[in-house]
Amino acid sequence: MQDDKVPPESERDEPENEEALHNPLPADRSLSRLLFVSLLAPVVGAGAGLVDAIFRIALDKADVFRSEMIARGHDAHALGFIALLLGSAAAAALGAWLVHRFSPHASGSGIPQIEAALNGELPPTPPRLLPVKFIGGLSAIGGGLALGREGPSVQMGAVVAHLVGQLFRHSTEELRFLLAAGAGAGLAVAFNAPIAGAVFVLEELVRRFEPRMTIVALATSSTAILVSRLFLGDAPDFQVVILSHTASATGPLPYAEDATWFLYIIFGAVTGVVASCYTRIVLGAQTFTAKFKRVPVVVKAGIIGAFVGTVGWFTPNLVGGGNNISQTLLAGGVVYSAIPLAFVIRFLLGPISYAARTPGGLFAPLLVLGAQLGLLFGAAAAVLFPHLGIEPEAFAVVGMAALFTGIVQAPVTGIILVTEMTAAFTTLLPMLAACFTSMLVVHLLRTEPIYDSLLERVVKEAHATSTDAKEV
């Protein structure tokens, strides 16, 4: 009877959360509190920038180590193959064990968990999540799982923000601002994209372009990038290189001819269909692995890790986060005939890796698929319409934004993110066309944004775990 009278905690907090995020502060303290939280935002950004920059450096070294181990394994033949499988299985199992043992909310990208915390459906990220996300993400992604570094970076940035907010005894309202801004700072550092980090907060996390949140998000992301670039440098993450004489001083790619616009619109529709399929496969892979309830999470992760290790033995360049793949595609000189098989491998490897429930994101693998799909489409268009002077690399850049838009359904974040990562601002108008049709197609196919679906699952799992604990 008591449960019927007292609503769940998440329901009790919801009106307060809405007020905290969207309503003006009382006049007597609005300016002073806004000034205080704005001055504290750079502290959050500096902390997130430092932690996430170290994570990026460590992950780069882990990728190099994995490649060296695969090369040495081939010299050892069968023993090398067995060692690689065991190593990949152990790396994935370690990531899953850390999550399961110390911080269940560190699973996956962490973005749904942050959204749930902002909505009051989950508690804020605890401090122990930071080492779990760092070590678990380094182990899983470094071991070869096709997961993105932005997942750990986003959630670690949120942890730093929560720690700083608690240290200075901020109100619940201001803690939510800092939490969202810290997550955006993590994304900014993960892709060296400060504007995208701030826009991600507004478009995806709080879903409202609100002045106070905008101020805090901009201050946090810009400071995070300032600190991270001391370690990582200031060059864009991807260098777009083309050999054609059509390139001009306006950027790495020429402006698209007006006659090619219909091709970008068609390409956007294609990416919309692919995005809808990919979203369903990611969710389906999680549903499938969840059916084996008697199999421990660590064992399931180890099996997935062994599978990824097998793929890495035969195609070492196709495992891991995939930033190296995207750079190779954008640098030109790729053998187009090899892309279809590589696309299929990565298309399946991403959902399988995400089902391991280790720390790791979805963004970076999506960018790989978008670049592969775009380069294939652009190469075909160049053959069919040789008089248009089509650069396939331009379609690769546009494909990254269009596929991101179709899956995440945050087009402004996707367009700004890819533009900052490639410095290919000459593709902005084609991106708009492709993202428009991609977004239209996924809505016609009734495909929910992937993080909305993942958020629903995260909240259900948290409530189920809480119910089981009370019964015990």
Side-chain angles (χ1 to χ4, degrees), residues 301-389:
I303 294 172
I304 291 174
F307 171 76
V308 172
T310 303
V311 175
W313 176 265
F314 296 101
T315 55
N317 293 328
L318 293 182
V319 296
N323 292 311
N324 60 315
I325 305 173
S326 298
Q327 178 56 67
T328 301
L329 294 167
L330 296 174
V334 178
V335 179
Y336 294 131
S337 60
I339 296 178
L341 178 60
F343 176 82
V344 171
I345 292 174
R346 290 292 301 193
F347 192 88
L348 297 175
L349 203 60
I352 292 173
S353 297
Y354 200 77
R357 302 184 70 84
T358 64
L362 292 169
F363 283 12
L366 300 185
L367 299 179
V368 174
L369 293 174
Q372 290 174 324
L373 188 63
L375 200 63
L376 270 179
F377 188 96
V383 173
L384 294 174
F385 306 99
H387 59 286
L388 295 180

Side-chain angles (χ1 to χ4, degrees), residues 196-466:
V199 172
F200 168 74
V201 173
L202 303 173
E203 186 180 28
E204 176 62 28
L205 294 183
V206 302
R207 303 194 178 188
R208 182 182 177 95
F209 283 76
E210 196 268 341
R212 292 171 298 151
M213 188 69 254
T214 303
I215 293 170
V216 177
L218 289 173
T220 307
S221 290
S222 59
T223 310
I225 286 294
L226 178 64
V227 171
S228 68
R229 285 182 175 177
L230 298 176
F231 301 89
L232 305 174
D234 57 2
D237 271 18
F238 297 135
Q239 305 296 319
V240 183
V241 181
I242 61 173
L243 303 178
S244 171
H245 65 278
T246 58
S248 64
T250 58
L253 289 166
Y255 285 102
E257 297 289 341
D258 294 342
T260 63
W261 272 66
F262 77 97
L263 292 174
Y264 285 105
I265 292 174
I266 294 173
F267 176 56
V270 173
T271 58
V273 173
V274 173
S276 181
C277 294
Y278 191 77
T279 299
R280 287 174 167 81
I281 292 177
V282 169
L283 299 175
Q286 286 204 318
T287 301
F288 178 77
T289 55
K291 291 181 179 179
F292 300 94
K293 296 181 179 180
R294 295 185 178 181
V295 180
V297 174
V298 174
V299 175
K300 287 188 282 189
I303 294 172
I304 291 174
F307 171 76
V308 172
T310 303
V311 175
W313 176 265
F314 296 101
T315 55
N317 293 328
L318 293 182
V319 296
N323 292 311
N324 60 315
I325 305 173
S326 298
Q327 178 56 67
T328 301
L329 294 167
L330 296 174
V334 178
V335 179
Y336 294 131
S337 60
I339 296 178
L341 178 60
F343 176 82
V344 171
I345 292 174
R346 290 292 301 193
F347 192 88
L348 297 175
L349 203 60
I352 292 173
S353 297
Y354 200 77
R357 302 184 70 84
T358 64
L362 292 169
F363 283 12
L366 300 185
L367 299 179
V368 174
L369 293 174
Q372 290 174 324
L373 188 63
L375 200 63
L376 270 179
F377 188 96
V383 173
L384 294 174
F385 306 99
H387 59 286
L388 295 180
I390 293 172
E391 296 290 352
E393 289 80 7
F395 278 89
V397 172
V398 171
M400 296 164 76
L403 193 63
F404 180 99
T405 295
I407 295 174
V408 182
Q409 298 185 30
V412 180
T413 301
I415 290 172
I416 294 176
L417 176 67
V418 174
T419 302
E420 286 190 286
M421 292 184 72
T422 62
F425 64 89
T426 52
T427 60
L428 273 172
L429 292 180
M431 278 187 198
L432 289 174
C435 290
F436 150 69
T437 47
S438 179
M439 195 85 167
L440 175 62
V441 167
V442 294
H443 274 76
L444 292 176
L445 295 174
R446 299 182 179 180
T447 306
E448 292 292 325
I450 193 164
Y451 288 122
D452 285 4
S453 300
L454 292 174
L455 171 61
E456 183 179 349
R457 294 184 179 214
V458 165
V459 173
K460 284 184 178 179
E461 288 179 1
H463 288 171
T465 302
S466 177

Side-chain angles (χ1 to χ4, degrees), residues 81-127:
F81 177 71
I82 294 173
L84 177 62
L85 258 64
L86 294 176
S88 298
L94 174 61
W97 178 77
L98 288 171
V99 169
H100 180 73
R101 176 65 178 82
F102 298 104
S103 185
H105 296 324
S107 171
S109 73
I111 293 174
Q113 290 88 334
I114 293 172
E115 292 179 344
L118 292 173
N119 295 336
E121 296 170 299
L122 287 180
T125 48

Side-chain angles (χ1 to χ4, degrees), residues 38-60:
S38 298
L39 292 176
L40 200 58
V43 178
V44 173
L50 177 62
V51 171
D52 291 333
I54 295 173
F55 180 72
R56 279 193 58 168
I57 294 172
L59 195 55
D60 289 340

